[in-house]
Amino acid sequence: MNIPLVDLGLQRDRVAAEVEEGFARVLAKTAFIGGPDVTAFEEEFAAFTGTAHCVGVANGTDALELALRAAGIRDGDHVALPANTFVATAEAVVRAGAVPVPVDVDPAHLLLDPGEFEKVAPRCQAVVPVHLFGQLAPMKAIRAIAEQHGVKIVEDAAQCQGATHDSTSMGGFGIAAATSFYPGKNLGAFGDAGAVVTDDEDVARKLRLLANHGSDKKYSHPELGFNSRLDTLQAVVLRAKLKQLSGWNAERALAAETYAELLADVSEVRLPGTADGNEHVWHLYVVRVHHRDEVLKHLNENGVGAGIHYPTPVHRTGAFAKYGRPEGYPVAELAADEILSLPLFPGITHEQQARVAAVLKEAVALHG
Ligand SMILES: *Cc1c(COP(=O)(O)O)cnc(C)c1O
């Protein structure tokens, strides 16, 4: 039995009829950019996140860059971000003209550590907390520090669609939150797509301008913009999938509980937890083991599509090494050597999970 890290087939099948109908509607009108499906999705996603505005864009990396620009980040500003994030967070900061300032994470949840953030806050103009693996960063502590030092918050919400902290969703803590609808995210398109949500009307207006050639009305371009729009066909897919998202997130949470039960007695495997006040949407189920590379190899050789998110902390990649501090980031660096993402997706069966657990037990008995 081969078990993939992510199987998107079930989601595809559950929305197939609605997507086909929507595609036919768009094709009949040959209205491929903008239009009612994009507007409707933006309204529906804003409502889902409890924010006032949603602006659809081309992908999650653009969403972050445009959110930083719309929040007023300028050339040479310093922007704090967790050292263990996906590289796109750092890319967006540099593309917005700013200097990334990596910050270490807390050992329990691998989320931005407020105490570490506090050390760099006096020299930062913004912070990008990353809601990693499906739960929000400790936003109340981060917000208190940010307010004290006049640091703007732009959330990286690519991995937390549906997650909350004290019942507040993405966009409820920062000036804006950027999200990605890359196919494997909790809400995934049939290609690239992204969005920014915000409660600030001026920020929303600025985002629309930036994403559409800096244009406020046709052939008027008051400032440099970009071409980063949410594709209409992707909006059709996202509208259909958004209706199912809460159910799919509940399936993920059940699957996470199942792993916790199946692996409870395996002392070599450290299980992930949920931070206080958080509702977790389990974008990834990340355990920690010793001799991770050997364990991963054993899993992969036995048909279990486990993975690593992410093997190299941002400050150890070629592109961003120059932004790291000399003493490094010990928590993020140790985690990068131990983390292992187990297969988890809506529709994963108990049989599949039992097989993953059995092979993992075998692997840690051999190598752990
Ligand atoms: C996926 C992801 C992004 C980038 O999104 P794309 O749509 O692939 O550009 C940014 N940050 C994090 C944490 C992500 O997981």
Side-chain angles (χ1 to χ4, degrees), residues 1 7 11 17 34 75 79 88-89 107 110 114 141 145 151 166 168 205 226 232 246 251 267 273 277 296 314 354 356:
M1 173 167 46
D7 181 350
Q11 295 183 30
D75 280 1
V79 179
T89 317
L110 304 181
I145 297 160
V151 175
D166 283 351
T168 303
R205 194 177 308 117
F226 303 83
T232 309
S246 296
E251 286 187 48
S267 60
L296 176 62
V314 167
V356 172

Side-chain angles (χ1 to χ4, degrees), residues 40-226:
F41 173 70
E42 288 176 338
E43 285 168 11
E44 288 155 9
F45 194 70
F48 179 78
T49 55
T51 52
H53 309 275
C54 169
V55 178
V57 298
N59 57 67
T61 312
D62 281 9
L64 268 172
E65 178 190 350
L66 298 177
L68 287 163
R69 288 179 181 275
I73 295 311
R74 307 157 199 252
D75 280 1
D77 280 357
H78 284 67
V79 179
L81 79 187
N84 65 339
T85 186
F86 180 53
V87 72
T89 317
E91 279 168 7
V93 168
V94 174
R95 280 173 28 178
V99 180
V101 178
V103 172
D104 214 348
V105 293
D106 82 89
H109 303 294
L110 304 181
L111 298 163
L112 186 76
D113 184 330
E116 291 295 309
F117 167 49
E118 193 159 26
K119 294 180 190 164
V120 301
R123 60 187 174 92
C124 289
Q125 283 68 46
V127 57
V128 183
V130 179
H131 305 319
L132 201 66
F133 304 150
Q135 68 177 326
L136 267 64
M139 291 310 299
K140 276 189 302 219
I142 291 168
R143 184 166 61 186
I145 297 160
E147 275 172 4
Q148 194 187 336
H149 295 278
V151 175
K152 294 169 175 171
I153 299 173
V154 172
E155 301 165 57
D156 182 335
Q159 300 190 1
C160 71
Q161 292 134 355
T164 57
H165 180 67
D166 283 351
S167 307
T168 303
S169 182
M170 66 167 78
F173 295 97
I175 293 180
T179 196
S180 162
F181 305 122
Y182 181 81
K185 307 289 180 181
N186 286 39
L187 179 59
F190 287 177
D192 277 313
V196 183
V197 293
T198 178
D199 283 330
D200 186 318
E201 200 179 330
D202 292 332
V203 170
R205 194 177 308 117
K206 179 95 193 218
L207 281 163
R208 290 195 186 285
L209 189 114
L210 288 173
N212 190 26
H213 301 295
S215 175
D216 52 356
K217 52 184 189 286
K218 202 161 194 184
Y219 302 127
S220 159
H221 306 276
E223 60 183 289
L224 174 69
F226 303 83

Side-chain angles (χ1 to χ4, degrees), residues 3-11 133-134 159 183-186 247-260 262-263 271-272 280-287 304-307 309 340-350 352-354 356-357:
I3 304 158
L5 180 65
V6 179
D7 181 350
L8 299 176
L10 177 130
Q11 295 183 30
F133 304 150
Q159 300 190 1
K185 307 289 180 181
N186 286 39
W248 288 340
N249 283 343
E251 286 187 48
R252 288 175 183 273
L254 276 179
E257 269 178 46
T258 300
Y259 273 138
L262 289 167
L263 296 168
L271 300 176
H280 203 312
V281 293
W282 302 100
H283 174 59
L284 291 165
Y285 192 84
V286 178
V287 300
V304 174
H309 300 86
L340 185 64
S341 308
L342 302 184
L344 188 145
F345 45 87
I348 192 169
T349 64
H350 192 277
Q352 287 175 314
Q353 291 194 269
V356 172

